Amino acid sequence: MPRVARPYHHGDLRNAFISEAAKLVESDGVHALTLRELSRRLGVSHAASTNHFADKSALLAALAAQGFEELAQEILRAPSGRSPEVRLRELGRAYVRFARRRPGHFRVMFGSELSDPAPTHLAEARARSLSTFREAVVAAMPEGRARSPQRIREAMFLAWAVVHGAATLILDGRLVPQLLSSVEDTEPLEKMVEHAIGVVAAEIHSGT
Amino acid sequence: MPRVARPYHHGDLRNAFISEAAKLVESDGVHALTLRELSRRLGVSHAASTNHFADKSALLAALAAQGFEELAQEILRAPSGRSPEVRLRELGRAYVRFARRRPGHFRVMFGSELSDPAPTHLAEARARSLSTFREAVVAAMPEGRARSPQRIREAMFLAWAVVHGAATLILDGRLVPQLLSSVEDTEPLEKMVEHAIGVVAAEIHSGT
DNA sequence: TGTACATCAGTGAACGCGCGTTCACTGATGTAC
DNA sequence: TGTACATCAGTGAACGCGCGTTCACTGATGTAC
């Protein structure tokens, strides 16, 4: 018995909605994300999503939570065997790499469309990925009194500002044409990111 | 003859629309910005804006252009008498200060709601403020071969990523509660910003 | 200083549109026996 | 292996809503003489 072209049951519509949402945000921006457009793209009636998401904000929260989980994984996966400074650089690379690989997730995670307050699972996933980031930054700092609360805050802020700014400018296409001839011009971009991350990692590691 | 409470003619409705738009974006986000809501707040019929803006995107463009003009002014106003490194720090401060003073403008200027391609006056204002930024960064670099195109790109990217990341994280309230106990907690925030800007300015000035 | 008149800057009703959400429904799937 | 039945995951029509935009209109303002 041959499989019908469009089975009544989708199979994994929940995840299909999430990943299609990420694609849509990546190509058209958060403001273009509607449940009806997603349903259209998935070839499903526009009421189908209610079986998987209570409402639109639940879908956004699921997408963001998935993003924070993956970001934490990405950070944890950064090689830790080598020197703290190298590890810190890996951390920064991981953040920017994540943003570039999952631009739709990133935009929603750090956009303003999420409902406030965030549902528990999202708040937890976010807190978890930030803790992971924080721990990696602290580990790269010199020991002793250089790890005062003040110093830690400054290091965190510096590291976060650089990687977040880099990711944001890249995703939003701000570097073209002033700093980059085109978005495909990936090699000079890598060099700029490497340089910025290197400066920050060296600074934090030396702990001046 | 006493002034009527609501004169038929507003006086400067065009600018009123722009500044009310900035306020609305600041408090409720870009997605809450609608012509009808602005009209409501200004106590004017919802068709009144058509006399001043062809459509909604024209209003957004005007708001963004005004923002870029002001940002360029802010950068130019940074004291230039002192050392290049000090001047570079002033530049960074100016960028972050602008974002905090005009959060509504900033969000629209760097958001994704602007029509593409941008109208000429907006494109020009944007290019002008970026050039101003770039010139200030280059001026702070050591002379000679340290000013190669590659080095300039790297310095620009580093400086921009830090201030843009800082501004974005602050405006989006990302620092609370991990790095800041509350948004009003302005003193530790100033210190973090100062530190980050100082690190970057020193790096660019020394030109390693 | 008055008057005629063009232009400017508002009003308010109406439009079509796409949205999120709800609802009764039905086909598909899983399970107990 | 077959059957009865509960549950799950879809459909499609309908809803009310707020939006941007258009339109004929009118009151206010500015200007020529």
Side-chain angles (χ1 to χ4, degrees):
Chain A
M1 195 172 160
R3 205 110 168 291
V4 287
R6 279 265 323 286
Y8 192 87
H9 280 201
H10 180 280
D12 192 7
L13 192 54
R14 186 186 149 87
N15 282 318
F17 259 98
I18 294 179
S19 66
E20 195 67 34
K23 279 190 212 165
L24 183 54
V25 172
E26 174 178 352
S27 60
D28 295 10
V30 194
H31 67 277
L33 181 68
T34 67
L35 292 177
R36 289 178 100 110
E37 178 59 23
L38 289 178
S39 302
R40 247 171 257 132
R41 295 187 176 212
L42 294 170
V44 115
S45 86
H46 61 256
S49 69
T50 57
N51 290 308
H52 305 281
F53 304 99
D55 53 24
K56 190 185 176 182
S57 75
L59 167 60
L60 285 168
L63 177 60
Q66 189 184 84
F68 280 114
E69 305 284 8
E70 190 172 327
L71 175 58
Q73 289 304 315
E74 181 94 30
I75 291 173
L76 286 174
R77 208 179 297 128
S80 58
R82 296 190 271 170
S83 81
E85 187 181 341
V86 172
R87 162 121 177 94
L88 186 54
R89 274 211 294 270
E90 289 292 347
L91 171 70
R93 284 187 195 111
Y95 194 99
V96 177
R97 196 188 316 128
F98 169 78
R100 294 173 72 189
R101 192 177 56 221
R102 302 270 183 254
H105 287 77
F106 191 86
R107 285 218 176 91
V108 171
M109 290 158 67
F110 294 104
S112 57
E113 310 289 317
L114 292 172
S115 65
D116 188 39
T120 314
H121 70 285
L122 169 57
E124 287 175 356
R126 170 159 44 200
R128 228 177 296 133
S129 76
L130 280 185
S131 302
T132 309
F133 189 90
R134 183 194 177 89
E135 282 158 22
V137 169
V138 172
M141 297 174 71
E143 295 183 28
R145 48 192 287 266
R147 290 192 187 176
S148 70
Q150 170 73 7
R151 289 288 185 87
I152 290 176
R153 261 206 308 269
E154 287 174 355
M156 260 296 277
F157 182 78
L158 174 62
W160 199 6
V162 165
V163 294
H164 194 75
T168 303
L169 292 175
I170 294 168
L171 256 53
D172 293 349
R174 304 287 168 214
L175 307 178
V176 179
Q178 301 255 358
L179 293 187
L180 232 49
S181 45
S182 103
V183 269
E184 282 85 30
D185 210 356
T186 188
E187 204 224 314
L189 175 56
E190 299 295 346
K191 279 194 180 158
M192 292 191 290
V193 172
E194 277 302 305
H195 178 258
I197 287 174
V199 167
V200 168
E203 164 64 28
I204 290 176
H205 181 59
S206 75
T208 51
Chain B
M1 193 172 161
R3 203 111 169 291
V4 288
R6 279 265 323 285
Y8 193 88
H9 279 201
H10 180 281
D12 192 8
L13 194 52
R14 186 187 150 87
N15 282 319
F17 260 98
I18 294 180
S19 66
E20 196 65 37
K23 280 189 210 164
L24 182 54
V25 172
E26 173 178 353
S27 59
D28 295 10
V30 195
H31 67 277
L33 181 68
T34 67
L35 291 178
R36 290 178 99 110
E37 177 59 23
L38 289 178
S39 303
R40 247 171 258 134
R41 297 187 173 213
L42 294 171
V44 115
S45 85
H46 60 256
S49 70
T50 57
N51 289 309
H52 305 281
F53 304 99
D55 53 23
K56 190 185 177 183
S57 75
L59 167 59
L60 284 168
L63 177 60
Q66 189 184 81
F68 280 114
E69 305 284 8
E70 191 173 327
L71 175 58
Q73 290 305 314
E74 181 93 32
I75 292 173
L76 285 174
R77 208 179 298 129
S80 58
R82 295 189 271 170
S83 79
E85 188 181 341
V86 171
R87 161 121 178 94
L88 187 52
R89 275 209 295 268
E90 289 291 348
L91 171 71
R93 284 187 195 110
Y95 194 99
V96 177
R97 196 188 316 129
F98 169 78
R100 294 174 72 188
R101 193 177 57 222
R102 301 272 184 251
H105 287 77
F106 191 85
R107 285 221 175 88
V108 171
M109 290 157 68
F110 294 105
S112 57
E113 310 290 317
L114 292 171
S115 66
D116 188 39
T120 314
H121 70 286
L122 169 56
E124 286 174 358
R126 171 160 42 199
R128 229 177 295 132
S129 76
L130 280 185
S131 301
T132 308
F133 189 91
R134 182 195 177 87
E135 280 157 23
V137 169
V138 172
M141 297 174 70
E143 296 183 26
R145 48 192 288 266
R147 291 193 186 174
S148 69
Q150 169 73 7
R151 289 286 185 89
I152 290 176
R153 260 205 309 267
E154 287 174 354
M156 260 295 277
F157 182 78
L158 174 62
W160 199 6
V162 165
V163 295
H164 193 76
T168 303
L169 292 174
I170 294 168
L171 258 53
D172 293 349
R174 303 290 167 212
L175 307 178
V176 178
Q178 300 256 357
L179 293 187
L180 232 48
S181 46
S182 102
V183 269
E184 283 84 30
D185 210 356
T186 188
E187 203 225 314
L189 175 56
E190 298 297 346
K191 280 195 179 156
M192 291 190 290
V193 172
E194 276 303 303
H195 178 257
I197 287 175
V199 167
V200 168
E203 162 65 30
I204 290 177
H205 181 61
S206 76
T208 51

